[in-house]
Amino acid sequence: MTDETVPSDIPTSRMLSWARNSAIYRLERRMMTEKQLFDAITRKAKEKFEEISAAQLKAIADFAVKFAYDNKVLDDSAYAEISTRSAVRGGKSKRAIAQKLAAKGVSSDKVEAALEEADDLYAAAIFVRKRAFGPFRRVELDEKRKAKELSAFARNGFSFDIGRKIFDMSFEDAEEIIFAGRSAAPQHQRS
């Protein structure tokens, strides 16, 4: 006869069933990285199972991740590629995208592979259009405004060269970069 108050290192079938269902629930609602799923399952399991051991927590989180991979609903490479395309279309630099993906637990080799197709010049053109900087500026340029705009490039991860190039560009050239970037996107990416 075992003492029910001493937690075991092996998760119960109820815990494993909950982990599977919880993984399904989360992944049906949004795409996640392996780290995000592992952390979410761990956090919720602590709340759900009062006397769960650290070994059981790790085991059910590992089980949930393996279940998601086995059912092909968890893929950090696809997550990185989709996030990168979306971020570039939103005016994010390669550096900013890499930092965000790394923070979400995507491995550096997968981040690097996803960033191969990213175009910082296109992203910078989107960025300045959203912020009404450079060729999209609606106010008179003075030294204070110039410093503000150029420093915004650096804060958002764009190189000085790209920032300067976009800053000095004509409205037509910037629009052409945006149009060319959109038409260069693969057919399955456009809606």
Side-chain angles (χ1 to χ4, degrees):
M1 185 168 161
T2 61
D3 185 358
E4 292 294 321
T5 60
V6 178
S8 167
D9 287 349
I10 300 167
T12 65
S13 61
R14 180 175 163 255
M15 289 176 179
L16 293 176
S17 177
W18 172 85
R20 185 190 73 240
N21 292 338
S22 186
I24 291 168
Y25 174 82
R26 287 167 191 350
L27 292 167
E28 280 180 336
R29 277 143 189 79
R30 70 181 181 101
M31 200 169 184
M32 300 175 97
T33 65
E34 179 180 326
K35 181 183 183 308
Q36 287 176 312
L37 180 61
F38 185 93
D39 291 349
I41 296 292
T42 302
R43 186 177 56 253
K44 286 298 187 179
K46 282 180 190 175
E47 294 172 13
K48 179 152 182 72
F49 304 106
E50 290 179 15
E51 298 201 11
I52 190 167
S53 70
Q56 285 174 316
L57 270 177
K58 184 177 179 337
I60 65 170
D62 286 339
F63 173 81
V65 167
K66 182 183 180 324
F67 172 80
Y69 271 118
D70 290 348
N71 287 283
K72 298 180 181 8
V73 291
L74 190 64
D75 183 348
D76 280 4
S77 294
Y79 182 92
E81 289 171 19
I82 291 166
S83 294
T84 298
R85 282 194 303 264
S86 176
V88 167
R89 285 191 310 265
K92 302 286 186 230
S93 69
K94 285 182 176 184
R95 185 175 297 138
I97 296 166
Q99 288 173 341
K100 186 170 186 178
L101 289 173
K104 291 182 180 275
V106 179
S107 66
S108 59
D109 59 320
K110 290 177 182 170
V111 170
E112 202 173 294
L115 290 174
E116 282 178 11
E117 300 296 314
D119 181 358
D120 257 359
L121 189 62
Y122 170 72
I126 297 289
F127 174 74
V128 296
R129 186 176 68 184
K130 288 173 83 174
R131 299 282 295 267
F133 285 174
F136 299 97
R137 186 181 314 108
R138 296 185 196 112
V139 296
E140 201 61 42
L141 181 66
D142 57 16
E143 284 305 309
K144 183 179 176 186
R145 179 82 181 171
K146 181 178 180 180
K148 176 184 176 183
E149 290 185 18
L150 289 174
S151 64
F153 281 109
R155 281 193 312 275
N156 287 282
F158 293 105
S159 71
F160 179 77
D161 291 340
I162 285 183
R164 192 76 188 161
K165 187 173 186 175
I166 292 285
F167 182 82
D168 292 334
M169 201 173 271
S170 72
F171 176 83
E172 291 77 16
D173 289 343
E175 282 287 313
E176 180 58 35
I177 286 172
I178 292 170
F179 178 75
R182 279 193 189 134
S183 59
Q187 290 293 338
H188 69 277
Q189 290 178 20
R190 286 191 257 153
S191 41

